[in-house]
Amino acid sequence: MKNRNITGIVLAIIYCIVLYFILTDSPPGEAPNNPFWVYLFIPIGAIVITSLFDYVIKFDFFRKKKD
């Protein structure tokens, strides 16, 4: 298994949790009124965040390189 970027994984999990609560927020007694495609932002955003940290940014806050 490749060494994954822990910072990207943690940020993706935080993103998923926050976006879930934003999308399911509605007035009391009413169901959330969102189209189905809006909920695809949760996994697509997580994939984009982890890919950015794995291939583009390459900075891992939790696993620092020893000099």
Side-chain angles (χ1 to χ4, degrees), residues 1 5 8 14-16 20-22 24 26 30-31 33 36-37 39 41-46 48 50 56 60 67:
M1 177 103 186
N5 194 319
I14 292 170
Y15 167 81
C16 289
Y20 171 77
F21 283 114
I22 289 173
T24 59
S26 64
E30 293 183 20
N33 191 12
F36 290 120
W37 60 266
Y39 294 102
F41 286 139
I42 295 174
I44 291 173
V48 167
T50 54
V56 178
D60 198 350
D67 292 332

